Amino acid sequence: MSQHSLTRRVAALAGATAVLVALAGCSTPAATGDADEDVPGISDDTVTIGAHTPLTGPAAAGYSSISAAATAYFDYLNDNGGVHGRDIEYIVKDDGYNPATTQTVVRELVQEDEVFAIVNGLGTPTHTAVLDYLNQNEVPDLFVASGSTSWNQPEKYPFTFGFNADYVVEGAALAQYATDEYPDKVVCLLGQDDDFGDEMIEGAELALGADGLAQVERYSVSNQDVAAQIGALKAAGCEINILATINGFTALALGTAAQLGWFPMWFSSSSGANYETLVGYLGADVGPKLLQGLVGTNYLPASGGDSEWVTLFRQINDEYNDGATFDGNTIYGMSVAYLFAEALEAAGENPTRQSLIDAVQSGDLAGNGILPLSFGEDSHAAYLGAGITTVDQGVQDYVGATYAFDGGTVTTVDPSPVALSGEGVPGP
């Protein structure tokens, strides 16, 4: 599926809905290695790491800015002394969101570039294609950019750690918020026909009960037409639609519904709820109207908030990222990069791959989220909870509702945001 054809499809729908919208008004020190030990990716002055990500293809518009933001943070970090005197070199390779290409570029990173670790490889189908390879070769596979629960299997995949709140958590949080705030509304779900959709359904049913979703519709990312699915949701009387969609298909769903003159409430996973990306798909005239009231999940500082992290990341973006659009993807990329720097600092002055793994699962990393990290020897999940965001007049920010997920139970919790320290540069 072409990114450009998907964009054209959404834009056409957006144009067709303009009139409809107008009418609707709508720390334990980690072990360190011997200074003379030959560790891949480690030199006297450099740590080389890598990532696979879609710089082209159907997911590029939603996600290509993440690695650019991470690179900008690493440039900022390097200008401020790096980690233990070493600069971080981040090699980003385009996989076009194609699992076969992911296998090729990850092997290049490991065998030819000899990276120390893979950091924030993006996508469930793409990263699944290299999961066994990385663990068999004992390459640290940190902070995967996907909410699949596959990354949280410490016994099977001891070198892999997730970063996103997983899709079960997000599905449960969105469904619980729907129950808490709109108890009488009919809740339905539209999702990808893969693990993304499966796990969002699982989470939603944990909050709503096995029969709590009035209608479930699935789609394939290879088909840009979701008119049949949207029509079925409308016919079922759905009032709140939970979305297990990437950004392009979130926009496609909203545009298709508006073309039908239907304006329900939309509750989206963080993977498909980035406001600026969605406006890019829908168009500046129609997008803000269609997206007013969009509910999403997040676990990092919100782009519309006043966190000191957001202030710092804006400064870094202006200075090191050519003034690129600042949005949730920017915060995500810089947050991942900061967490890696924190783990590398904890891994010691002469880090090894094992000391890096030990640092992550020590339980001592803080990150910069609104909830504590969940890493440990028995948990390779980053966040087991999420806050609820809404879009209001173009600003995407938290509304105060935050949920944690534990043992199949969804509970309301108070957020505990991590304060900025050391100007965003990890160290003692």
Side-chain angles (χ1 to χ4, degrees):
M1 176 179 55
S2 163
Q3 169 197 340
H4 299 295
S5 60
L6 178 56
T7 303
R8 287 196 300 272
R9 169 75 172 156
V10 173
L13 286 165
T17 61
V19 174
L20 292 170
V21 173
L23 292 174
C26 87
S27 151
T28 300
T32 59
D34 189 297
D36 297 327
E37 184 176 349
D38 185 14
V39 180
I42 300 293
S43 71
D44 289 342
D45 53 15
T46 304
V47 177
T48 302
I49 59 177
H52 66 87
T53 197
L55 301 178
T56 59
Y63 304 127
S64 61
S65 60
I66 291 174
S67 58
T71 299
Y73 171 81
F74 287 137
D75 289 344
Y76 165 79
L77 178 69
N78 294 341
D79 280 354
N80 284 274
V83 178
H84 294 302
R86 293 184 178 90
D87 285 349
I88 295 176
E89 180 184 2
Y90 193 36
I91 302 175
V92 178
K93 297 204 173 186
D94 180 18
D95 65 7
Y97 209 64
N98 183 321
T101 307
T102 307
Q103 291 179 330
T104 299
V105 300
V106 167
R107 280 171 169 77
E108 290 175 356
L109 288 166
V110 172
Q111 298 170 10
E112 298 176 15
D113 299 306
E114 298 184 334
V115 296
F116 180 50
I118 298 294
V119 178
N120 207 220
L122 191 146
T124 300
T126 47
H127 201 74
T128 298
V130 296
L131 190 55
D132 289 326
Y133 171 78
L134 291 172
N135 280 269
Q136 288 165 2
N137 286 275
E138 300 185 349
V139 180
D141 177 23
L142 304 186
F143 317 142
V144 183
S146 155
S148 173
T149 57
S150 297
W151 327 132
N152 184 21
Q153 300 184 72
E155 293 186 2
K156 186 176 182 181
Y157 298 119
F159 288 85
T160 297
F161 297 78
F163 184 74
N164 299 26
D166 71 50
Y167 299 134
V168 176
V169 169
E170 288 195 311
L174 289 170
Q176 190 63 52
Y177 182 70
T179 296
D180 291 347
E181 298 296 321
Y182 308 100
D184 298 324
K185 289 191 178 292
V186 179
V187 181
C188 302
L189 185 144
L190 172 68
Q192 287 186 189
D193 58 353
D194 56 16
D195 289 352
F196 185 6
D198 293 343
E199 293 181 357
M200 286 284 287
I201 292 169
E202 179 184 346
E205 290 181 341
L206 285 169
L208 300 174
D211 299 321
L213 291 169
Q215 184 78 11
V216 173
E217 291 293 322
R218 309 297 292 273
Y219 71 90
S220 170
V221 293
S222 63
N223 186 351
Q224 300 172 31
D225 187 351
V226 295
Q229 292 89 335
I230 296 299
L233 293 170
K234 180 183 179 184
C238 302
E239 297 172 285
I240 294 174
N241 292 317
I242 296 174
L243 296 173
T245 53
I246 61 176
N247 288 293
F249 279 85
T250 300
L252 191 59
L254 271 64
T256 302
Q259 190 177 31
L260 296 175
W262 184 46
F263 302 94
M265 297 183 71
W266 301 97
F267 284 37
S268 176
S269 157
S270 61
S271 296
N274 185 59
Y275 176 78
E276 288 80 4
T277 301
L278 293 173
V279 169
Y281 273 115
L282 291 165
D285 292 335
V286 172
K289 298 171 185 175
L290 284 179
L291 295 168
Q292 175 66 21
L294 175 72
V295 174
T297 56
N298 197 0
Y299 38 89
L300 300 172
S303 60
D306 58 0
S307 163
E308 291 182 333
W309 289 100
V310 173
T311 300
L312 173 66
F313 289 164
R314 283 186 183 277
Q315 294 170 353
I316 294 172
N317 191 62
D318 289 342
E319 185 172 354
Y320 293 91
N321 201 20
D322 297 324
T325 299
F326 185 88
D327 59 16
N329 286 339
T330 313
I331 294 171
Y332 181 99
M334 292 190 187
S335 297
V336 168
Y338 171 81
L339 184 59
F340 174 75
E342 188 184 0
L344 184 63
E345 195 278 333
E349 293 185 3
N350 298 302
T352 65
R353 284 174 164 174
Q354 187 57 54
S355 75
L356 181 63
I357 295 297
D358 291 344
V360 177
Q361 63 186 17
S362 68
D364 294 334
L365 301 184
N368 69 334
I370 66 165
L371 293 169
L373 289 164
S374 300
F375 293 132
E377 291 187 3
D378 298 324
S379 173
H380 284 195
Y383 295 101
L384 293 177
I388 300 297
T389 64
T390 61
V391 173
D392 184 22
Q393 302 300 317
V395 177
Q396 194 165 32
D397 200 2
Y398 288 106
V399 295
T402 306
Y403 298 96
F405 185 77
D406 183 24
T409 301
V410 189
T411 58
T412 301
V413 297
D414 292 326
S416 51
V418 177
L420 175 69
S421 64
E423 297 184 341
V425 175

